[in-house]
């Protein structure tokens, strides 16, 4: 047989081996002075014997990895030699094998028949961008290919391929992360970032893109700052700044990675955040319970009201009390009513003392400590403060955790974090776009004939209107005026509702404004049922402007946003690929999928499709890329050879947020198993090896 090149000979022997069901590996070869192959051997993969490592050599320990021996001295081979005419011939071969061939059902497992093809690589990388792991990516490939035997590789092959990528970026991870931020800033000069390096290692970094900075202009009055996420293999603290948008959804303003949790780091971070946001400080900020954060806020944001996240505090409760109490319905009702349901300071104080006394928690140090700082986390102490919906209820906290958990993980490199984070952020913004479209181009269902309801549906976004509508229905069904007291400059109306809690609505003559003692409007910006009842009684058909909070309206983002220097914040594309190219790629993929679905209905259709694809492939130059080039294409940045900024090391963090317990966990066992017990005598403080009853227990 004659072959035009050595690759053709290799391909032939591979096909021959596959038909017989054995695997091939490349043996020795000889090159001439110009690098042209003179001859080469192709061997059965089970040729020869594995060399045993010398005693004491690296990796020869009996405790090391136990590998399986695949070689058995099989003599089968072919010897391919170059002719004087530049062709290649099989000059020698040995066909006999000294082992059994694999069965047809296992042919796809032969090593030489396996490779991570372009389809598998693309699927793998796309899945990781969507925070889908390698195992799930392999399952997706198997389903798409129609069976494991058609994937072209095993799950382990795919895992090894991705592990090679992680190893490749290991030392350059921090520098690649910073260079990526530089690139984004070049593409969009409004992309803001700052970082610091200490002893050649990344120490802290903050970033906020143009969209985040614009969102802060509109919704930066209230802010949530959370550092309970440990998100990468270096144990750096991920510190996101979030808020609430006009659909009452969480919205991202910016984020940082911190190598430590000292006051100096938080002072640097808050100052950097203010520079990114044009010097505008929030009016209210809620954080987790951390002394360094509190000190940093006091230094940088002295005029900002600081409160603690009650959800973070309450989720620690199961660790501080007997977990069996949480199964007690009466106990849960008492504590929830005390913490969440108390409207006045007096109510909270009496309810707190009642459940503390009933369950004998007077000496519980943690609860005593939480009581001392009650003014910083119990809503009854700051009902009159504008909160803008930022206080984290259980549902909001679980929603925020769900968002961040898409791209966080203790084993992720910084570059891996970024590609996942970028995808998750795009998903969040797509959800907002959908909410905008729904609010602008659909009408909510009205449940009454009141003109106030119609007007609320026209100005508020759908989610805000839903809450307004609940108040309006309560005003119609449950609110009654008890007494009206006329005074010189005001009128005081006493209103009762189904809560059996009398409310006072004060109408100030000079301002022509109603103020209610329930403080719902002052806290959240939505008119309460008691005020709505007064407006209805006054035959007012449209909400006065005073009661239309701008941040809850459909058009609240129409005004232009500027940075501190007066420059217009305009969002720009930060991808190197043009929109028209991406649109054509999507069209091509969809078109091919449509054709494939039609062709797969018959053998003839598939044959026609394959023949035409073969002709079509001749119109394009084949693309040959190295593995590193494929990996760089995946992450969208080059892997540098000269590293100046190294990843951090030896980080000591205070701890991180545990997994959030959701509704599905409420019936699961929450009680700790307690201290470890000896397996012999069931005592504590020792184990079976040093148990005093060990000898007595022997037969």
């Amino acid at each position: 047989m004659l072959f035009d090149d050595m690759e053709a000979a290799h391909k032939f022997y591979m096909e021959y081996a596959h038909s017989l069901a054995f695997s091939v590996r490349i043996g020795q070869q000889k090159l001439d002075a110009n690098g042209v192959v003179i001859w080469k051997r192709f061997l059965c993969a089970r040729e020869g014997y594995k060399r045993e490592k010398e005693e004491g050599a690296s990796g020869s320990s009996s405790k090391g990895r136990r590998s399986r021996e695949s070689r058995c001295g099989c003599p089968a081979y072919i010897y391919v030699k170059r002719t004087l005419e530049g062709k290649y011939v099989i000059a020698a071969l040995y066909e006999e094998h000294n082992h059994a061939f694999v069965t047809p059902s296992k042919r796809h497992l032969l090593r030489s028949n396996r490779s991570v093809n372009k389809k598998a690589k693309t699927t793998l990388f796309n899945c990781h961008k969507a925070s889908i792991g390698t195992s799930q990516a392999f399952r997706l490939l198997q389903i798409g290919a129609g069976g494991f035997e058609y994937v072209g590789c095993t799950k382990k092959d795919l895992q090894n391929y991705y592990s090679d990528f992680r190893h490749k970026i290991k030392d350059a991870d921090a520098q690649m992360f910073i260079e990526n931020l530089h690139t984004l800033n070049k593409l969009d000069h409004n992309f803001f970032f700052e970082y610091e390096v200490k002893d050649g290692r990344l120490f802290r970094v903050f970033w906020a893109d143009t969209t985040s900075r614009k969102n802060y202009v509109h919704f930066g009055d209230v802010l949530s700052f959370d550092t309970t996420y440990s998100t990468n293999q270096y144990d750096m603290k991920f510190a996101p700044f979030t808020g609430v948008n006009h659909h009452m959804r969480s919205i991202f303003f910016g984020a940082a990675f911190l190598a430590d949790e000292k006051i100096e780091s938080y002072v640097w971070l808050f100052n950097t955040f203010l520079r990114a946001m044009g010097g505008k400080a929030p009016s209210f900020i809620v954080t987790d319970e951390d002394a360094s954060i509190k000190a940093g806020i006091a230094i940088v944001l002295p005029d900002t009201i600081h409160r603690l996240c009650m959800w973070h505090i309450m989720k620690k409760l199961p660790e501080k009390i007997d977990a069996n109490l949480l199964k007690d319905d009466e106990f849960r009702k008492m504590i929830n009513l005390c913490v969440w349901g108390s409207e006045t300071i007096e109510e909270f104080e009496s309810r707190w003392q009642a459940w503390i006394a009933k369950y004998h928690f007077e000496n519980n140090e943690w609860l005593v400590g939480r009581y001392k700082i009650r003014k910083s986390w119990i809503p009854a102490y700051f009902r009159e403060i504008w909160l803008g919906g930022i206080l984290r209820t259980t549902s909001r906290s679980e929603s925020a955790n769900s968002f961040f958990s898409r791209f966080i993980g203790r084993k992720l490199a910084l570059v891996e974090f970024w590609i996942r984070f970028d995808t998750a952020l795009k998903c969040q913004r797509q959800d907002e776009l959908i909410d905008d479209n729904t609010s602008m181009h659909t009408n909510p269902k009205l449940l009454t004939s009141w003109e106030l309801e119609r007007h609320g549906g026209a100005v508020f976004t759908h989610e805000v209107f839903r809450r307004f509508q609940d108040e309006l229905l309560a005003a119609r069904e449950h609110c009654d005026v008890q007494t009206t007291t006329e005074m010189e400059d005001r009128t005081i109306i006493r209103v009762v509702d189904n809560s059996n809690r009398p409310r006072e609505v004060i109408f100030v003559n000079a301002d022509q404004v109603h103020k209610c003692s329930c403080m719902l409007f002052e806290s959240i910006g939505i008119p309460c049922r008691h005020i709505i009842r007064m407006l209805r009684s006054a035959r007012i058909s449209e909400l006065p402007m005073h009661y239309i909070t701008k941040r809850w309206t459909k058009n609240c983002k129409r005004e232009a946003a500027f940075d501190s220097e007066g420059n217009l914040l305009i969002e720009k594309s930060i991808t190197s690929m043009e929109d028209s190219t991406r649109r054509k790629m999507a069209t091509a993929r969809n078109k091919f999928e449509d054709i494939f679905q039609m062709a797969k209905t018959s053998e003839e259709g598939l044959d026609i499709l394959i023949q035409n694809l073969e002709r079509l492939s001749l119109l394009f130059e084949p693309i040959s890329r190295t593995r590193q080039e494929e990996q760089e294409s995946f992450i969208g940045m080059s892997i540098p050879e000269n590293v100046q900024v190294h990843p951090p090391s030896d980080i000591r963090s205070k701890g991180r947020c545990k997994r959030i317990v959701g509704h599905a966990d409420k019936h699961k066992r929450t009680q700790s198993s307690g201290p470890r017990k000896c397996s012999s005598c069931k005592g504590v403080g020792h184990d079976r090896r040093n148990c005093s009853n060990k000898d007595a227990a022997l037969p």
Side-chain angles (χ1 to χ4, degrees):
M1 296 182 67
L2 277 177
F3 301 96
D4 292 332
D5 51 40
M6 190 62 76
E7 284 300 318
H10 185 200
K11 182 179 179 181
F12 160 75
Y13 195 53
M14 290 280 289
E15 292 174 351
Y16 167 77
H18 180 71
S19 66
L20 291 182
F22 70 92
S23 191
V24 174
R25 63 185 173 88
I26 297 174
Q28 307 93 328
Q29 67 176 7
K30 184 177 180 180
L31 309 179
D32 64 12
N34 297 320
V36 177
V37 180
I38 298 176
W39 58 263
K40 181 181 285 190
R41 288 177 181 271
F42 297 98
L43 315 171
C44 172
R46 304 193 68 178
E47 182 272 345
Y49 297 93
K50 191 171 184 178
R51 294 179 182 177
E52 293 186 7
K53 295 181 179 180
E54 296 180 4
E55 188 175 351
S58 175
S60 62
S61 171
S62 60
K63 295 183 180 180
R65 180 180 176 185
R66 297 181 180 180
S67 60
R68 300 175 181 87
E69 182 57 68
S70 60
R71 299 191 186 183
C72 61
C74 180
Y77 76 96
I78 65 169
Y79 173 77
V80 182
K81 185 177 180 180
R82 192 169 189 263
T83 66
L84 295 175
E85 292 79 20
K87 302 290 185 178
Y88 290 89
V89 296
I90 300 177
L93 79 155
Y94 191 88
E95 293 186 84
E96 299 297 326
H97 294 259
N98 66 355
H99 57 86
F101 297 144
V102 303
T103 59
S105 63
K106 301 183 184 70
R107 284 182 180 177
H108 67 284
L109 300 177
L110 291 170
R111 184 67 190 89
S112 60
N113 288 340
R114 307 194 322 256
S115 65
V116 183
N117 56 37
K118 291 182 179 179
K119 171 69 174 177
K121 294 171 185 175
T122 301
T123 302
L124 173 66
F125 289 146
N126 286 341
C127 283
H128 275 278
K129 288 180 179 179
S131 300
I132 299 172
T134 304
S135 296
Q136 289 82 359
F138 184 74
R139 293 176 191 171
L140 184 62
L141 282 168
Q142 177 261 324
I143 294 172
F148 290 109
E149 62 270 30
Y150 304 116
V151 175
C153 64
T154 64
K155 182 173 71 173
K156 187 63 177 177
D157 295 333
L158 210 61
Q159 290 171 336
N160 288 341
Y161 182 85
Y162 194 75
S163 294
D164 178 71
F165 158 69
R166 298 194 74 210
H167 179 75
K168 185 83 69 175
I169 66 172
K170 181 179 179 181
D171 295 327
D173 183 30
Q175 180 156 323
M176 292 171 64
F177 185 77
I178 296 302
E179 287 182 353
N180 178 58
L181 299 182
H182 275 291
T183 301
L184 295 174
N185 177 258
K186 289 178 181 178
L187 293 171
D188 179 5
H189 69 276
N190 287 319
F191 183 95
F192 181 95
F193 77 100
E194 284 189 13
Y195 69 98
E196 285 189 0
V197 176
K198 186 176 182 180
D199 298 327
R201 297 187 178 277
L202 182 63
F203 189 57
R204 47 201 178 204
V205 57
F206 168 84
W207 72 92
D209 66 0
T210 305
T211 303
S212 297
R213 298 173 72 189
K214 284 184 64 177
N215 286 334
Y216 186 80
V217 171
H218 300 297
F219 308 115
D221 48 351
V222 291
L223 191 66
S224 174
F225 178 66
D226 193 348
T227 61
T228 57
Y229 301 97
S230 184
T231 62
N232 54 52
Q233 58 187 262
Y234 317 110
D235 278 335
M236 295 185 81
K237 281 293 179 182
F238 176 60
F241 293 87
T242 57
V244 178
N245 69 5
H246 50 317
H247 302 289
M248 290 192 165
R249 287 181 181 263
S250 295
I251 192 169
F252 178 80
F253 292 143
F257 276 122
L258 301 175
D260 67 27
E261 298 174 83
K262 296 179 180 179
I263 296 175
E264 294 79 8
S265 289
Y266 289 119
V267 169
W268 174 88
L269 177 55
F270 294 141
N271 278 320
T272 305
F273 178 80
L274 285 182
R275 283 195 296 275
M277 303 306 169
K280 175 189 174 184
S283 61
F284 181 88
I285 185 170
V286 59
T287 72
D288 54 286
E289 191 178 356
D290 186 280
S292 297
I293 295 177
K294 181 178 179 181
I297 291 175
I299 294 171
V300 183
L301 305 170
D303 298 326
T304 298
I305 299 172
H306 178 212
R307 294 294 183 267
L308 302 180
C309 176
M310 59 192 306
W311 174 80
H312 272 116
I313 292 176
M314 290 301 295
K315 76 180 183 63
K316 296 178 183 177
L317 184 64
E319 304 171 13
K320 309 299 181 180
I321 64 173
D322 182 358
N324 287 321
L325 282 174
L326 297 176
K327 301 176 183 178
D328 187 337
D329 291 338
E330 184 180 357
F331 173 81
R332 292 202 310 271
K333 183 178 179 180
M334 282 191 72
I335 193 170
N336 287 333
L337 188 64
C338 172
V339 173
W340 303 95
S342 297
E343 286 194 9
T344 66
I345 296 174
E346 293 74 18
E347 277 184 350
F348 167 76
E349 293 286 350
S350 62
R351 289 171 177 174
W352 180 276
Q353 299 301 332
W355 78 270
I356 288 290
K358 181 174 181 177
Y359 294 97
H360 309 292
F361 287 138
E362 293 87 352
N363 297 322
N364 186 302
E365 293 184 5
W366 185 80
L367 289 173
V368 170
R370 303 294 74 72
Y371 180 74
K372 289 180 179 179
I373 60 171
R374 60 193 181 279
K375 294 182 180 179
S376 64
W377 67 282
I378 295 296
Y381 286 88
F382 44 91
R383 289 174 57 238
E384 74 285 356
I385 297 176
W386 167 249
L387 303 176
I390 197 68
L391 276 191
R392 300 180 73 179
T393 61
T394 299
S395 59
R396 177 177 292 280
S397 298
E398 289 183 350
S399 174
N401 184 76
S402 174
F403 170 72
F404 289 122
S405 65
R406 298 176 192 174
F407 54 84
I408 63 176
R410 292 187 63 83
K411 295 183 179 180
L412 289 180
L414 292 170
V415 170
E416 291 179 287
F417 160 84
W418 182 264
I419 59 177
R420 293 175 178 225
F421 165 79
D422 186 53
T423 303
L425 191 57
K426 288 176 181 176
C427 290
Q428 186 189 77
R429 290 171 179 172
Q430 177 66 14
D431 289 341
E432 181 179 333
L433 198 66
I434 293 172
D435 289 338
D436 283 340
N437 182 67
T438 303
S439 289
M440 293 297 294
H441 302 293
T442 63
N443 297 319
K445 183 179 180 180
L446 303 181
L447 302 178
T448 72
S449 60
W450 290 13
E451 287 298 312
L452 283 172
E453 184 185 19
R454 180 197 58 77
H455 186 230
V459 296
F460 293 132
T461 61
H462 282 2
E463 177 59 28
V464 176
F465 172 73
R466 184 184 66 80
R467 301 196 182 192
F468 170 76
Q469 191 177 53
D470 289 342
E471 294 297 318
L472 184 136
L473 292 174
R476 186 187 69 170
E477 302 293 337
H478 305 298
C479 290
D480 292 310
V481 175
Q482 277 193 331
T483 62
T484 301
T485 304
E486 297 281 351
M487 301 179 69
E488 184 178 349
D489 60 341
R490 65 190 60 196
T491 302
I492 301 176
I493 305 100
R494 189 178 179 87
V495 181
V496 294
D497 57 21
N498 57 332
S499 67
N500 296 321
R501 191 189 298 266
R503 307 290 187 180
E504 280 192 352
V505 180
I506 301 174
F507 179 73
V508 181
N509 298 332
D511 300 333
Q512 293 290 297
V513 168
H514 293 87
K515 294 183 180 180
C516 182
S517 60
C518 74
M519 298 287 184
L520 180 70
F521 180 73
E522 286 75 12
S523 175
I524 300 179
I526 298 175
C528 66
R529 60 195 66 183
H530 317 102
I531 291 178
I532 294 174
R533 180 71 176 83
M534 295 301 98
L535 295 176
R536 172 68 176 175
S537 298
R539 300 186 182 277
I540 295 176
S541 59
E542 291 190 355
L543 286 170
M545 289 301 298
H546 174 78
Y547 301 113
I548 301 176
T549 306
K550 182 181 177 182
R551 68 165 3 258
W552 299 138
T553 62
K554 299 177 181 181
N555 300 322
C556 66
K557 294 180 69 176
R558 285 196 173 180
E559 291 185 6
F562 300 87
D563 62 15
S564 59
E565 298 177 355
N567 299 315
L568 183 64
L569 293 174
I570 302 177
E571 296 154 273
K572 296 180 180 179
S573 174
I574 54 176
T575 60
S576 56
M577 190 181 297
E578 295 292 335
D579 288 341
S580 59
T581 303
R582 291 199 296 269
R583 191 178 301 112
K584 290 176 182 178
M585 289 171 60
T587 301
R589 289 194 187 101
N590 294 336
K591 190 66 177 176
F592 176 78
E593 183 62 28
D594 292 341
I595 295 172
F596 175 74
Q597 293 298 328
M598 291 185 287
K600 75 174 187 178
T601 57
S602 67
E603 289 282 343
E604 182 183 1
L606 289 171
D607 291 337
I608 294 173
L609 177 60
I610 292 171
Q611 291 171 6
N612 282 279
L613 286 174
E614 290 289 348
R615 295 195 199 99
L616 191 62
S617 66
L618 299 176
L619 301 177
F620 304 97
E621 289 290 332
I623 300 176
S624 178
R625 294 194 298 187
T626 64
R627 178 173 290 195
Q628 180 168 326
E629 289 173 338
E630 292 172 345
Q631 294 164 349
E632 289 174 341
S633 176
F634 161 53
I635 58 181
M637 59 191 87
S638 300
I639 301 176
E641 296 181 0
N642 184 21
V643 178
Q644 302 294 328
V645 181
H646 295 273
S649 61
D650 299 326
I651 292 177
R652 298 289 183 268
S653 58
K654 299 177 183 177
R656 71 184 190 97
C657 178
K658 293 186 177 180
R659 185 184 71 84
I660 291 176
V661 179
H663 300 295
D665 302 287
K666 62 182 179 180
H667 298 302
K668 292 184 179 180
R669 182 172 179 258
T670 57
Q671 185 177 8
S672 172
S673 58
R676 187 174 180 178
K677 297 180 180 180
C678 171
S679 59
S680 295
C681 70
K682 308 304 179 184
V684 298
H686 64 276
D687 57 28
R688 182 170 58 86
R689 294 171 297 178
N690 51 21
C691 179
S692 59
N693 298 331
K694 179 172 66 173
D695 296 334
L698 293 174

